[in-house]
Amino acid sequence: MKKIYCSLVLFLFLLPRMAVTQEETGRRVTDTTQTEINYLDEVDVVGTKVLRTKRDSVSPGLKLRQPLILIPQNIVRISSELLQQQGALELKDAARNSSGVYFSYNSTPFDQSSALQIRGFTGYTTLNGMSRRFSYGASIDDEAVMESVEIVKGPAGFLNATGEPGGSVNIVTKTPDKKIRSATVMGGSFNFYRAAIDIGSAVKDTGFSYRFNAAYQHKDSYLDFIRTDKVVIAPVLQYNFSPRTFVLAEYNFIRGNIKNGAYLAKVRSESEKLKGPVSRNYSAAPGLPDSYAKNETVRLVFHHKFDDHWDITSQSSYLAAPYETWYMTTNGSIVSFDEAGNTERKSSLTMGSGTTWNSQLFANGSFRTGHVAHEIVLGTDFTNSKDSLALHRGVYDFPYSKYTYRNHVNKDSVRETSRLIRIENNTYLRSVYAYDNIRLHKRWLLSLGARYTWYTNKRRNVTAAGPGEWTEFDQKALTPRAGLTFSADPSTSVFFLYDQSFVPQSGMVATQTNPETNEVTASRAVDPQKGNDLELGIKKNWFGSRLSTSLNGFYTVKTNVLVSNLELPGFVKEIGEVTSSGVEVDVLGSITDRLSVSANYTYVHARITEDQDPEQIGKELPQAPQQIFNTWLQYTIPLKHKARIGFSLGQVTQVKRSTSTTHRYIPDFTKVDAGINYATGRYFVRLLADNITGKRYMASGDIFNNYMTGNPEYFYIDGEPFNLQLAAGIRF
């Protein structure tokens, strides 16, 4: 198996060389005798536009001004054109276009990005470079607002004040650019239908410009009883005082409603896993109140360019992210049965609320000191997040049998609940940072910088006895970054990176005890976790920057991980350590005018390397696939009268995805997708088939012991069965 995947890695990296012979004579290529880097713009071939499936630079929200090939880090920017080609409608659908990215428990139809994972660690999502939720708010997204998706592997102090060392994902929203008038309608399996519009004006040197996106979507789940609706409204208004100065105001509203229960996970024994009807849903109940998730975001941006060397940007945002999730449980957990297949179900209600304020001010500049050129970014961030989580359980039991499968409940009785606990958080982040990209020589670029962060968190629990006392945690950290890029030629670079991440955490460490009574007499708050990341990689642009390839290895260690103090209940020890190492390959772009490719491979070994329990050392981090292999190929044939027809084929493979049980994995899987599309200058029609072989697989899962029987059982979410998506659109 390893030989097979090593061969695939070699194939992906050499694929562009194999296709060189297909290049037409006279096509523009990068001149390796020049010091500048050339990029391919959108061009017309036989009267049809070549879709831009890749980008050569990052968005302004990432604050860096270097082209991707010179940034000493594996960053993949996925265009909206590629997402639309794949029929991607949510952030999780974009994951197939980048190595190292996958999703764990997206346990409800919405709130997907909360389950993001990168290289074995929890991923952190931002919107235009600003924080979304922190702990308990909803995090719902939609393709209608996505201009592109940027996946940053490893720590990124230029983007985040805090975050796990695996990486981050930044959603870039749609703003005024070129004139656009388009409408799309879609339909498909599971009673899916969707309508969306995108209307915008071109940006003027002076005056107003705008962009307006809206969408409505309905879809029934592949699981029985679940029905979802989503509404998206996203207006943007920009005013240019001059070509150098503008202000922008943006509003995004996304709301998803779910009927009859919102839980997707299943629990099955070893003999029952992935068997029986995929639609069987024991957690649903017609009669339950509707569940929902909502994101409401307001963003204000001011940008001024002083001259060709200096500019300044100020942006602020406010996010409100409430949600309510209803479903049926057994004793507050997933529905479980006795040996006769009987149980009693209660309603369960989880209520989350999150509000986040962000404010950023940063400046980009360039200057020279002698023969050395500098490109710097200086900035400061402020974030305040208030969020809460409340857990409610139903008052009444409802007898239930898996064999009769009668899911309806009394709509009045099921609404009666009692609150178990409410957790409240109030978080403040303040940080300053400075990064300098130093051109030492025309072939060498040195990147140096650091961020200093102050973190304050106040939290309390509210129970039936009343609110508890606020507990405050104050932490601060300096996170340095150093990178070195060698440009072998304008289209090839080799990079080395050392970077740190800062992960705040809460808990108390006992510093002094009474030796006779073992009573704690002194304690302190825990220190934050630190993630240390080392990377070495090579990047290559091909065919005038049509296609990019990257190959990199990484070694990441997260220290100061908390473990329970077994001798002193309620206290923790700072002795844990986890390590993630591996190799990533990314191929993205167009090989010829007709053939485009998005392919990537990941090998990750994520495990515990220090713990007070010797049996834990070497244990793999749960939910981390050892290998991921994704491809998406499209071949387009030009036709007469500016028309074209395209054929797509893709697959997703995961191997040895770990669980909480040592050396136990959820089953490996490969799913295959395909599509066909026809487009003219104004119209397009696209048919996509997902999971065309009807593969039954676990999209995510774990293994736990059933509390009723004591036997190990799989806790998992089924991947969607075979389904079709038909889309038609017009530009007018």
Side-chain angles (χ1 to χ4, degrees), residues 547-564:
L547 183 80
S548 66
T549 56
S550 66
L551 168 65
N552 67 288
F554 60 90
Y555 182 82
T556 306
V557 180
K558 187 166 70 169
T559 60
N560 211 45
V561 178
L562 302 181
V563 298
S564 299

Side-chain angles (χ1 to χ4, degrees), residues 70 441 443-445 484-489 492-496:
L70 294 181
H441 182 270
R443 295 186 182 275
W444 292 94
L445 182 67
L484 185 64
T485 302
F486 172 72
S487 297
D489 58 55
T492 307
S493 67
V494 179
F495 69 87
F496 170 79

Side-chain angles (χ1 to χ4, degrees), residues 28 41 46 166 258 294 303 329 341 361 373 458 547 558 585 610 617 626 680 710 729:
R28 181 170 67 90
D41 296 323
V46 197
I258 312 167
K294 183 176 76 170
H303 176 81
T329 67
L361 178 66
K458 299 178 181 180
L547 183 80
K558 187 166 70 169
V585 180
E610 289 186 13
I617 297 177
Q626 185 187 87
T680 66

Side-chain angles (χ1 to χ4, degrees), residues 386-693:
K386 295 181 179 180
D387 49 60
S388 64
L389 175 69
L391 303 178
H392 299 248
R393 293 290 178 266
V395 174
Y396 298 103
D397 289 320
F398 296 85
Y400 186 73
S401 168
K402 67 163 66 173
Y403 299 113
T404 58
Y405 196 49
R406 295 172 182 167
N407 285 55
H408 284 75
V409 293
N410 182 281
K411 66 178 182 179
D412 296 320
S413 300
V414 79
R415 291 173 181 267
E416 295 192 38
T417 64
S418 60
R419 191 175 71 190
L420 303 180
I421 191 172
R422 178 182 173 90
I423 305 170
E424 297 179 348
N425 266 303
N426 195 352
T427 303
Y428 295 89
L429 281 170
R430 300 169 297 279
S431 65
V432 294
Y433 55 89
Y435 296 95
D436 189 1
N437 294 281
I438 308 166
R439 174 69 72 172
L440 300 174
H441 182 270
K442 67 178 182 179
R443 295 186 182 275
W444 292 94
L445 182 67
L446 176 64
S447 300
L448 297 174
R451 181 189 284 263
Y452 195 86
T453 304
W454 294 266
Y455 166 86
T456 300
N457 174 254
K458 299 178 181 180
R459 62 177 56 192
R460 70 175 180 179
N461 294 340
V462 181
T463 64
E469 296 293 327
W470 287 100
T471 302
E472 182 172 329
F473 297 92
D474 293 287
Q475 296 176 353
K476 53 189 176 182
L478 175 69
T479 50
R481 171 185 171 89
L484 185 64
T485 302
F486 172 72
S487 297
D489 58 55
S491 63
T492 307
S493 67
V494 179
F495 69 87
F496 170 79
L497 175 68
Y498 169 75
D499 208 352
Q500 273 195 355
S501 66
F502 163 55
V503 186
Q505 55 187 352
S506 303
M508 300 299 294
V509 175
T511 57
Q512 186 175 339
T513 60
N514 185 319
E516 296 182 359
T517 63
N518 203 35
E519 181 182 356
V520 176
T521 56
S523 62
R524 64 168 177 83
V526 297
D527 293 325
Q529 296 177 14
K530 285 290 186 70
N532 296 280
D533 181 56
L534 292 172
E535 302 204 22
L536 180 65
I538 180 172
K539 300 180 182 181
K540 175 70 175 176
N541 283 339
W542 309 82
F543 319 138
S545 195
R546 286 182 184 275
L547 183 80
S548 66
T549 56
S550 66
L551 168 65
N552 67 288
F554 60 90
Y555 182 82
T556 306
V557 180
K558 187 166 70 169
T559 60
N560 211 45
V561 178
L562 302 181
V563 298
S564 299
N565 189 327
L566 302 180
E567 294 79 21
L568 301 171
F571 292 87
V572 296
K573 293 182 178 180
E574 302 167 311
I575 62 172
E577 178 186 278
V578 296
T579 301
S580 177
S581 56
V583 177
E584 296 171 337
V585 180
D586 287 276
V587 179
L588 183 63
S590 298
I591 297 174
T592 71
D593 295 335
R594 299 186 179 187
L595 179 62
S596 65
V597 58
S598 171
N600 53 80
Y601 170 79
T602 309
Y603 175 87
V604 176
H605 186 201
R607 70 277 188 196
I608 298 171
T609 46
E610 289 186 13
D611 195 277
Q612 63 182 350
D613 182 359
E615 294 185 0
Q616 293 294 310
I617 297 177
K619 185 179 182 299
E620 294 156 311
L621 298 185
Q623 298 303 305
Q626 185 187 87
Q627 297 184 75
I628 307 174
F629 179 51
N630 301 309
T631 58
W632 180 267
L633 301 171
Q634 172 152 310
Y635 188 79
T636 302
I637 302 173
L639 304 174
K640 294 180 179 180
H641 308 299
K642 297 184 179 182
R644 62 185 183 270
I645 186 169
F647 301 90
S648 303
L649 184 66
Q651 56 78 225
V652 174
T653 298
Q654 290 188 10
V655 176
K656 293 188 72 173
R657 186 162 183 168
S658 56
T659 68
S660 298
T661 303
T662 305
H663 303 314
R664 293 289 303 276
Y665 308 93
I666 68 170
D668 301 345
F669 73 86
T670 294
K671 82 176 185 79
V672 181
D673 313 313
I676 181 172
N677 60 80
Y678 172 82
T680 66
R682 294 184 59 195
Y683 305 95
F684 81 87
V685 179
R686 180 182 63 233
L687 177 65
L688 294 170
D690 180 68
N691 194 5
I692 59 177
T693 64

